[in-house]
């Protein structure tokens, strides 16, 4: 099905952190009727995420950091366990995720495997997230990780089965992390 979209108005609401705009548009429905709608759209750029795994030890590397949106939505301490991730910052996804991996986890990974890409919140956010996995070993440690500038990131090495159980118990609630853990479970015989 092809629909007809016509942007009528684009209004900048905020550019304080990233870009928040309100779009008013005409949308042609399947029955041919033209409807006018308005939506707010948040553009923070595209990003990438990676799950590091060690197939011999059956472990994964995750991070833990404070996330204010989770805190204001009921996460008591605001800490979130998640896969390493970051914005592309004008780089290709593979280059960006290698940079983020070293900054956040301390592991310098030379080979990454792109497994898929997805819109994570398409009702209001423009971001496409590129998903990667990579094998790691102790020889790949370049520094202690922890992030840069105002980031304060804990690096966690967890048994894969424990990470899966943490999804079941609600200790891991991050969508991208759950998706990559399940990918690993399905495709890498963990």
């Amino acid at each position: 099905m092809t629909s007809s979209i016509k942007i009528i108005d684009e209004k900048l609401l905020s550019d304080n952190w990233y870009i928040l705009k309100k779009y008013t548009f005409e949308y042609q429905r399947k029955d041919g009727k033209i409807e006018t709608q308005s939506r707010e759209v948040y553009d923070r750029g595209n990003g990438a995420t990676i799950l590091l795994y060690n197939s011999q030890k059956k472990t994964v590397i995750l991070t833990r950091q404070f996330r204010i949106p989770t805190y204001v939505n009921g996460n008591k301490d605001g800490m979130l366990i998640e896969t390493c991730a970051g914005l592309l910052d004008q780089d290709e996804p593979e280059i960006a995720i290698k940079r983020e991996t070293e900054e956040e986890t301390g592991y310098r990974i030379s080979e990454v495997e792109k497994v898929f890409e997805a819109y994570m919140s398409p009702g209001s956010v423009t971001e496409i997230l590129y998903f990667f996995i990579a094998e790691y070993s102790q020889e790949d440690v370049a520094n202690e990780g922890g992030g840069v500038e105002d980031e304060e990131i804990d690096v966690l090495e967890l048994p894969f089965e424990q990470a899966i159980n943490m999804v079941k118990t609600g200790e891991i609630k991050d969508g991208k992390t759950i998706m990559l853990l399940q990918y690993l479970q399905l495709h890498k015989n963990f």
Side-chain angles (χ1 to χ4, degrees):
M1 179 194 108
T2 303
S3 63
S4 177
I5 309 288
K6 180 181 177 187
I7 303 291
I8 298 170
D9 188 42
E10 177 181 324
K11 181 179 179 184
L12 179 67
L13 301 178
S14 174
D15 63 357
N16 186 37
W17 189 252
Y18 296 109
I19 304 295
L20 178 63
K21 291 183 178 179
K22 180 178 181 180
Y23 288 92
T24 303
F25 58 96
E26 289 180 347
Y27 174 80
Q28 184 175 357
R29 299 173 54 93
K30 288 188 268 186
D31 64 7
K33 181 182 174 191
I34 306 250
E35 202 173 77
T36 300
Q37 299 181 4
S38 291
R39 297 289 185 274
E40 290 182 3
V41 176
Y42 191 57
D43 184 352
R44 56 185 304 270
N46 294 331
T49 186
I50 191 167
L51 180 60
L52 300 179
Y53 67 94
N54 184 300
S55 55
Q56 290 182 334
K57 295 184 348 180
K58 301 286 188 212
T59 55
V60 293
I61 298 293
L62 298 174
T63 64
R64 179 177 45 224
Q65 63 183 306
F66 179 76
R67 297 294 198 184
I68 187 68
T70 73
Y71 179 78
V72 299
N73 195 24
N75 181 358
K76 290 184 183 187
D77 64 3
M79 299 302 284
L80 196 66
I81 296 172
E82 55 189 301
T83 50
C84 168
L87 295 177
L88 301 185
D89 295 329
Q90 308 303 317
D91 285 330
E92 290 298 313
E94 184 175 312
I95 292 168
I97 201 58
K98 287 178 181 180
R99 177 189 68 239
E100 289 293 331
T101 300
E102 188 168 342
E103 289 173 1
E104 291 190 4
T105 70
Y107 287 87
R108 184 174 294 139
I109 303 297
S110 57
E111 298 294 321
V112 297
E113 177 186 348
K114 181 183 170 199
V115 292
F116 53 87
E117 57 190 69
Y119 289 101
M120 294 301 292
S121 190
S124 59
V125 180
T126 62
E127 179 183 34
I128 295 174
L129 193 59
Y130 298 88
F131 289 76
F132 293 89
I133 59 172
E135 182 104 22
Y136 77 94
S137 70
Q138 286 310 115
E139 289 77 41
D140 298 319
V141 175
N143 62 64
E144 64 183 26
V148 295
E149 299 165 9
D150 64 347
E151 294 179 313
E152 187 176 50
I153 299 171
D154 298 325
V155 180
L156 309 174
E157 182 176 40
L158 299 173
F160 179 74
E161 284 304 318
Q162 180 183 349
I164 290 295
N165 284 331
M166 291 170 79
V167 172
K168 292 177 188 172
T169 64
E171 294 170 88
I172 293 177
K173 291 185 177 182
D174 176 62
K176 68 185 178 302
T177 304
I178 294 168
M179 292 166 73
L180 280 172
L181 287 169
Q182 290 179 338
Y183 180 90
L184 196 64
Q185 190 173 39
L186 291 170
H187 298 281
K188 294 294 181 181
N189 298 317
F190 260 67

